Amino acid sequence: MAPDIPMFSLFFASIFTSNILLANFLGMCSFIAISKDISSSNGLGMAVVVVLTFTASINWLVLNYVLIPLDLVYLRFIIFIIVIASVVQMLEMIIDRVSQTLYLNLGIFLPLITVNCAILGVSLFMEIRQYSFLQTAVFGLGSGLGWWLAIMALAAIRKKTEKSKVPAGLQGAGLTFITIGFMAMAFIGFTGLLQVQ
Amino acid sequence: MSDSAKQPGQILKQNMWTANPIFMQILGICSALAVTNLLSNTMIMTLGVVFVTGMSNLTVAIIKNLIPRKVRMVVQTLIIAFYVIIVDIVLRAYLPEISRNLGPYVGLIITNCIIMGRAEAFAQSNPPLLSLWDGITSGMGYMGVLLSIALVRELLGFGALFGFQVLPEGFEPWIIMVMPPSAFFLIGVITWGGKYLMHRQGEPVLEGE
């Protein structure tokens, strides 16, 4: 049932050619708000990588071992959101116990992640494309890394454009969108390399 | 954002123009852009958003006194998810073609920040009917921007409107308009245009971020 895609291609496709942010537009809200600052971008990026990998895998297990056997697939939106919220909460507690420095760097970003569209998006894509468990984990990890890469790149670019003189109306959000457009073109340029949806 | 405007007319103007969720508040971009390559998809998607925003605002406003403050975010999310499931089931049953095109983006209405934002900022402190109106107009502000993006993308990308060929045979489709970057460019230009007009009218401009 699972599509026959080599793991390696899936991994690279989810980082570059079908970047969760630039090709599928997921996780834009926090992307635009946070990318003003490089170190916050880095923290949020790392948190997204961790949460995406975990939630995608757990949601796969829940979907295939609970929802499908019980014929409750129509409830998946609610269940996925609950799983995401509880995983985020648990990660926050674990990180708090294990390392205080990591908590200070990552902890404040975790609550933000529950409402990040990228997290729910990856779980929904995994359901629609019928990935296997391993494929889901790889896809989650790759998408997270892709998101991290994109937000770091944008934060660096915005630092440069901050001081440049642009028309008043274009300042801020307008310019950011156009910058993202150029970034998206660059990422899509990788498409010739891999043909994976 | 300020909620000083309590008149239906003022709410309409605020949500459609001066505090438009997309280009003034930069909310709900996530699920917005992916569906703008065809007008018919956009139309259905935004109608879904209008329905969910309106109904969840109404529900939150009705039961706001029953929800303990600490868990209100969770309750709001569940209310929103409830209406999104209705939209999803209706689309699957009556418009299976469009439901397939929209794919995961129907489910992503849940994490659309506009809906959560309106429930939190408006419905928490206003009577039910006014909240319903606020939800609907916010959804319409979102609809207006998305439909104009979709109009340009479908016209230039396919030479068509709502699937009907409108441009002559010899028209060379712009491949870029079918691809994701064009959505970013268009939304950037719309933001620019909107803010420019507002500066000229001397409206107080809310900072978008």
Side-chain angles (χ1 to χ4, degrees), chain A residues 129-184:
Chain A
R129 296 182 188 160
Q130 301 186 322
Y131 285 147
S132 69
F133 180 71
L134 207 59
Q135 282 173 328
T136 303
V138 168
F139 178 61
L141 178 66
S143 301
L145 289 174
W147 201 90
W148 187 10
L149 182 66
I151 196 172
M152 285 305 285
L154 181 69
I157 295 174
R158 281 185 79 172
K159 210 173 166 60
K160 292 277 176 203
T161 55
E162 219 170 46
K163 300 227 168 55
S164 36
K165 278 208 169 79
V166 289
L170 197 56
Q171 201 110 44
L175 187 62
T176 309
F177 278 123
I178 292 175
T179 315
I180 300 173
F182 284 118
M183 279 171 66

Side-chain angles (χ1 to χ4, degrees), chain B residues 113-144:
Chain B
C113 335
I114 297 174
I115 304 176
M116 195 70 156
R118 294 324 291 166
E120 184 67 19
F122 197 92
Q124 278 293 332
S125 51
N126 283 289
L129 277 182
L130 213 55
S131 301
L132 175 67
W133 176 242
D134 177 77
I136 291 174
T137 49
S138 287
M140 275 157 56
Y142 173 88
M143 187 185 226

Side-chain angles (χ1 to χ4, degrees), chain A residues 4-6 9 13 17-18 188 190-197:
Chain A
D4 186 27
I5 306 169
S9 321
T17 54
S18 27
I188 283 170
F190 288 108
T191 312
L193 223 57
L194 297 160
Q195 284 298 346
V196 179
Q197 175 53 39

Side-chain angles (χ1 to χ4, degrees), chain A residues 22-26 28-29 74 76-78 81 117 121 124-125 128 158 169-170 172-173 177-178 180-182 185 188, chain B residues 26 28-30 33-34 77-78 81 85 88 92 103-105 107-108 110-111 113 180-181 184-185 187-188 192 195 209:
Chain A
L22 297 169
N24 293 315
F25 310 100
L26 298 176
M28 291 295 296
C29 303
Y74 62 90
R76 66 195 184 289
F77 297 155
I78 288 190
I81 279 281
C117 338
L124 294 174
F125 270 125
I128 287 177
R158 281 185 79 172
L170 197 56
F177 278 123
I178 292 175
I180 300 173
F182 284 118
M185 281 174 80
I188 283 170
Chain B
I26 321 296
I29 314 287
C30 327
L33 294 170
T77 312
L78 291 183
I85 289 176
D88 184 47
R92 265 162 208 266
Y105 295 99
L108 286 168
I110 299 176
T111 47
C113 335
F184 289 117
F185 291 136
I187 203 167
W192 182 10
K195 283 199 176 167
E209 312 164 57

Side-chain angles (χ1 to χ4, degrees), chain B:
Chain B
M1 72 158 296
S2 73
D3 285 320
S4 51
K6 290 278 194 278
Q7 298 305 313
Q10 273 172 295
I11 293 177
L12 178 72
K13 187 185 171 208
Q14 235 184 27
N15 285 339
M16 296 283 286
W17 180 240
T18 54
N20 184 293
I22 299 251
F23 63 81
M24 294 313 294
Q25 302 183 58
I26 321 296
L27 287 179
I29 314 287
C30 327
S31 52
L33 294 170
V35 299
T36 51
N37 53 354
L38 290 174
L39 268 171
S40 49
N41 290 352
T42 317
M43 194 74 198
I44 300 297
M45 171 78 181
T46 48
L47 281 178
V49 171
V50 170
F51 170 77
V52 175
T53 330
M55 291 311 285
S56 56
N57 246 8
L58 177 70
T59 318
V60 170
I62 290 175
I63 63 171
K64 60 176 179 277
N65 294 328
L66 300 174
I67 312 173
R69 263 199 92 67
K70 275 200 166 164
V71 295
R72 69 179 194 289
M73 293 295 234
V74 181
V75 176
Q76 283 166 6
T77 312
L78 291 183
I79 293 172
I80 295 166
F82 170 73
Y83 288 113
V84 172
I85 289 176
I86 295 181
V87 171
D88 184 47
I89 290 175
V90 169
L91 284 187
R92 265 162 208 266
Y94 295 104
L95 296 164
E97 177 71 24
I98 287 185
S99 168
R100 247 195 314 282
N101 284 342
L102 293 179
Y105 295 99
V106 177
L108 286 168
I109 296 178
I110 299 176
T111 47
N112 190 324
C113 335
I114 297 174
I115 304 176
M116 195 70 156
R118 294 324 291 166
E120 184 67 19
F122 197 92
Q124 278 293 332
S125 51
N126 283 289
L129 277 182
L130 213 55
S131 301
L132 175 67
W133 176 242
D134 177 77
I136 291 174
T137 49
S138 287
M140 275 157 56
Y142 173 88
M143 187 185 226
V145 176
L146 286 206
L147 282 180
S148 36
I149 296 177
L151 186 84
V152 177
R153 284 185 77 182
E154 188 172 349
L155 189 67
L156 296 179
F158 298 95
L161 289 177
F162 284 107
F164 297 108
Q165 203 68 30
V166 287
L167 291 180
E169 278 298 305
F171 173 73
E172 184 74 40
W174 299 19
I175 303 297
I176 183 81
M177 282 294 162
V178 186
M179 301 211 300
S182 67
F184 289 117
F185 291 136
L186 288 175
I187 203 167
V189 170
I190 288 183
T191 312
W192 182 10
K195 283 199 176 167
Y196 173 73
L197 286 180
M198 251 167 263
H199 277 299
R200 283 232 335 223
Q201 289 173 357
E203 298 269 4
V205 175
L206 293 169
E207 243 333 291
E209 312 164 57

